């Protein structure tokens, strides 16, 4: 057995907010013990968060010819946590044009993560009425 | 999103719903399913959907739709359902007044001001944010002080960043969500400052909005001064003592060009007050029966205008109840009266509805005053006898408590007032 390190997590399963501790054997790259949970979901969360943390990413992209300047989007499924900022940075240069339907793929396989970026609402084509200042 | 603007408004409707957010749209559909024919939803925004349209993050719909949706996805589902039920929705419109005969003074782009009659009215105006004025932060009045929801609107709908380096006062969920949102858009978040010794938002948001991006959370700390001439230049923050008094000798300065304020919501009840509805001083919303009827017959209310909900899913449930009652009232079906009053007791800040009937099943929503663990929720009769007891692992002020009451529990009561207590071990830490 190699050196053991303890990493702490705050459980997000419920408002109890259990202080989770994961012991990892650095040489074997294996979890030796999980402590601090008070339910099965807490233990599973600690292991997931320690080995492969994932996040659903929600942000917006620029849209033309629509009522609003931004179209809300999300990842089609959770993306690796360490890619979140990079994904958002990449989406800052994306520009689409109305009409868009909810579920439309805006970017396929973003940054080779295997995750698509999809629209989360319909956005109809729209021009400001000529008698109204916007 | 499709919004149906009726070309001609009718002179009278079975049900008029004020507010086209999730509460208003769900109430309209429920009113139609209960038998009402002509239903009008009035919204002041250019499209219905309410605040959900700017809440682009996930976490909505687990109870209502059995899956996790973003705000716009939830809004669109509710909107499509309303359109499928052929509900009239008028946007860019405003209800100026409602009188005791339920005549609604309405202002629209096309028709100007008109008086429209309603057999029943549903109040679903939602809430607005508390501002700097609500906590009286001293200092200059430069540009760059926003409520968190206003900043959310600017970023998510208009594509405008409120600033380059932001401090956030208040650790409610909107403030935490905005800390992440601004970080993702390249804005630096200097820190979140919370007056109370515990965070006000969900752990999930503490972890995924702050820890993920190494944003510091300063508990028992508040903003005591705003500096800057034309634009915010910095804020002074100070730790507070046990009585929440700032300790100015331990204050420090935080460089920032923007201060976001996320310190809670206030139900938007100007119309309710004009109608002189009986109000609950704690929720700051109308007093309601188990049918979500206010103190004036034929006027119903649901959603954040009644009390601030943590989850839109519960708003939907409440709105369906209010809409159904309004629909039944509009077609002349009698609503059975309540016969038991509910009183908030030990550690209970408020409970909604304010009255119930011993003949039906009810869900009672309440908020606790303190954090407790290993608790017992008790329904207590006037003579002190415990009518019903429910164990809860924990209660938190930030999380609404639901209590399902079956008629069998209540069968021996009539014209009584039952008190709700929550007792348990203190969990302050």
């Amino acid at each position: 057995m190699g050196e053991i390190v303890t990493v702490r997590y705050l459980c997000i399963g419920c408002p109890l907010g259990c202080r989770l501790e994961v012991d990892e054997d650095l040489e074997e790259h294996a979890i030796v013990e999980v402590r601090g949970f008070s339910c099965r979901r807490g233990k599973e969360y600690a292991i997931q968060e320690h080995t492969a943390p994932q996040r659903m990413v929600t942000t917006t992209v620029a849209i033309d010819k629509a009522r609003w300047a931004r179209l809300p989007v999300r990842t089609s499924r959770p993306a690796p946590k360490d890619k979140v900022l990079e994904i958002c940075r990449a989406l800052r240069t994306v520009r689409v044009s109305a009409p868009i339907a909810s579920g439309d793929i805006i970017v396929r396989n973003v940054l080779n993560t295997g995750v698509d970026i999809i629209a989360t609402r319909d956005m109809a084509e729209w021009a400001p009425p000529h008698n109204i200042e916007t | 999103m499709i919004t149906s603007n009726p070309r001609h408004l009718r002179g009278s409707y079975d049900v008029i719903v004020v507010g086209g957010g999730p509460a208003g749209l769900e109430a309209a559909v429920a009113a139609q399913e209960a038998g009402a024919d002509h239903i009008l939803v009035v919204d002041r925004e250019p499209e219905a959907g309410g605040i959900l349209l700017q809440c682009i993050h996930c976490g909505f719909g687990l109870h209502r739709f059995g899956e996790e949706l973003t705000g716009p996805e939830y809004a669109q589902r509710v909107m499509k359902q309303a359109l499928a039920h052929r509900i009239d929705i008028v946007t860019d419109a405003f209800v100026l007044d409602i009188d005791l005969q339920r005549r609604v003074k309405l202002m629209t782009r096309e028709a100007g001001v008109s008086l429209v009659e309603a057999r029943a009215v549903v109040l679903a105006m939602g809430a607005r944010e508390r501002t700097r004025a609500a906590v009286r932060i001293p200092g200059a009045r430069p540009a760059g002080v926003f409520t968190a929801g206003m900043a959310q609107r600017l970023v998510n709908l208009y594509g405008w960043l409120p600033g380059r380096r932001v401090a956030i006062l208040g650790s409610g969920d909107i403030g935490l969500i905005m800390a992440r949102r601004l970080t993702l858009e390249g804005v630096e978040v200097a820190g979140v400052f919370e007056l109370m010794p515990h965070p006000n938002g969900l752990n999930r948001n503490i972890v995924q909005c702050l820890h993920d991006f190494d944003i510091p959370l300063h508990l028992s700390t508040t903003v005591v001064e705003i500096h800057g001439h034309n634009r915010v230049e910095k804020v002074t923050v100070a730790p507070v003592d046990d009585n929440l008094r700032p300790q100015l000798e331990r204050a420090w300065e935080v460089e920032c060009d923007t201060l976001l304020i996320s310190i809670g919501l206030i139900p938007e009840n100007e119309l309710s007050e004009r109608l002189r509805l009986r109000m609950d001083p704690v929720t700051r919303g109308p007093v309601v029966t188990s049918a979500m009827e206010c103190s004036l017959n034929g006027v119903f209310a649901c959603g954040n205008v009644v009390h601030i909900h943590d989850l839109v899913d519960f708003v939907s449930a409440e709105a369906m109840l209010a809409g159904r009652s309004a629909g039944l009232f509009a077609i002349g079906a009698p609503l059975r009266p309540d016969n038991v009053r509910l009183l908030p007791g030990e550690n209970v800040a408020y409970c909604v509805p304010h009255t119930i009937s011993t003949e039906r099943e009810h869900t009672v929503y309440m908020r606790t005053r303190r954090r407790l663990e290993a608790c017992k929720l008790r329904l207590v009769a006037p003579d002190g006898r415990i009518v019903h007891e429910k164990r809860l692992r924990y209660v938190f002020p930030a999380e609404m408590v639901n209590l399902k009451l079956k008629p069998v529990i209540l069968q021996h009561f009539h014209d009584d007032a039952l008190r709700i207590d929550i007792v348990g071990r203190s969990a302050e830490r």
Side-chain angles (χ1 to χ4, degrees), chain B residues 361-378:
Chain B
E361 193 174 317
H362 300 285
T363 303
V364 179
Y365 299 102
M366 66 200 81
R367 224 172 259 287
T368 64
R369 291 191 185 281
R370 289 181 303 137
R371 296 152 73 93
L372 298 173
E373 284 175 1
C375 333
K376 285 178 183 145
L377 191 161
R378 285 178 182 149

Side-chain angles (χ1 to χ4, degrees), chain B residues 51 82 87 97 112 123 133 142 158 162 245-246 263 324 343 361 388:
Chain B
I51 214 68
I87 307 290
D97 200 7
L123 304 175
Y158 297 87
R245 272 193 301 260
I263 51 174
R324 186 183 130 78
L343 303 173
E361 193 174 317
H388 177 63

Side-chain angles (χ1 to χ4, degrees), chain B residues 62-305:
Chain B
L62 274 174
H63 297 266
R64 172 75 176 86
F65 296 110
E67 57 183 302
E68 198 174 336
L69 304 172
T70 66
E73 288 168 324
Y74 194 110
Q76 189 157 321
R77 286 201 186 190
V78 176
M79 184 73 195
K80 285 214 161 125
Q81 185 189 260
L83 291 175
H85 280 73
R86 293 204 303 260
I87 307 290
D88 279 353
I89 302 169
V90 60
T91 55
D92 283 321
F94 200 84
V95 172
L96 297 164
D97 200 7
I98 303 170
D99 69 16
L100 296 176
Q101 285 74 48
R102 295 187 296 281
R103 282 178 302 200
V104 177
K105 193 189 278 180
L106 179 67
M107 186 164 66
T108 67
R109 233 183 233 297
E110 289 78 17
V113 177
S114 52
L115 209 55
V116 186
E117 287 176 14
R119 286 176 191 270
V121 168
V122 179
L123 304 175
M125 291 89 75
R128 61 166 161 262
E129 295 179 279
R130 295 175 78 205
T131 64
R132 171 182 183 179
V135 285
R136 295 194 283 269
I137 308 168
R141 296 171 154 268
V145 182
F146 299 90
T147 57
M150 186 68 217
Q152 186 179 49
R153 185 179 173 87
L154 297 181
V155 173
N156 292 345
L157 297 182
Y158 297 87
W160 299 336
L161 294 181
R164 288 286 160 202
R165 190 175 149 87
V166 175
I168 300 176
L169 174 63
S171 66
D173 287 310
I174 311 174
L176 300 178
I177 293 283
M178 280 316 291
R180 171 175 63 188
R181 187 74 197 103
L182 290 169
T183 305
L184 294 179
E185 291 296 345
V187 176
E188 196 184 343
V189 180
V192 176
F193 303 92
E194 169 59 53
L195 177 72
M196 303 305 288
H198 50 79
N200 249 321
L202 301 173
N203 288 321
R204 175 174 148 140
N205 288 332
I206 299 289
V207 170
Q208 299 192 347
C209 299
L210 301 185
H211 294 181
D212 276 9
F213 305 101
D214 297 320
I215 298 169
L217 170 62
H218 301 271
L219 297 173
S220 297
T221 307
T222 192
V223 174
V224 293
E225 191 170 353
I226 298 171
H227 308 267
H229 186 59
N230 293 320
R231 178 80 199 191
V232 173
E233 285 159 21
K234 60 187 178 186
V235 296
T236 305
V237 299
V240 297
D241 62 18
D242 291 344
N243 299 315
L244 305 182
R245 272 193 301 260
Q247 300 171 286
L248 295 178
E249 65 285 359
R250 291 172 58 202
W252 77 96
E253 288 177 347
V254 178
E255 302 277 334
C256 58
D257 62 10
T258 304
L259 175 67
L260 294 194
I261 296 178
S262 173
I263 51 174
L265 303 172
I266 310 170
E268 199 154 341
N269 271 301
E270 282 71 16
L271 284 175
S272 322
E273 278 156 18
R274 290 185 68 88
L275 274 167
R276 294 181 185 273
L277 298 181
R278 234 184 104 211
M279 304 294 282
D280 179 327
V282 178
T283 61
R284 301 175 74 169
V287 170
V288 289
T289 67
S290 64
M292 301 309 291
E293 191 174 27
C294 305
S295 58
L296 189 64
N297 281 351
V299 177
F300 302 80
C302 54
N304 279 351
V305 80

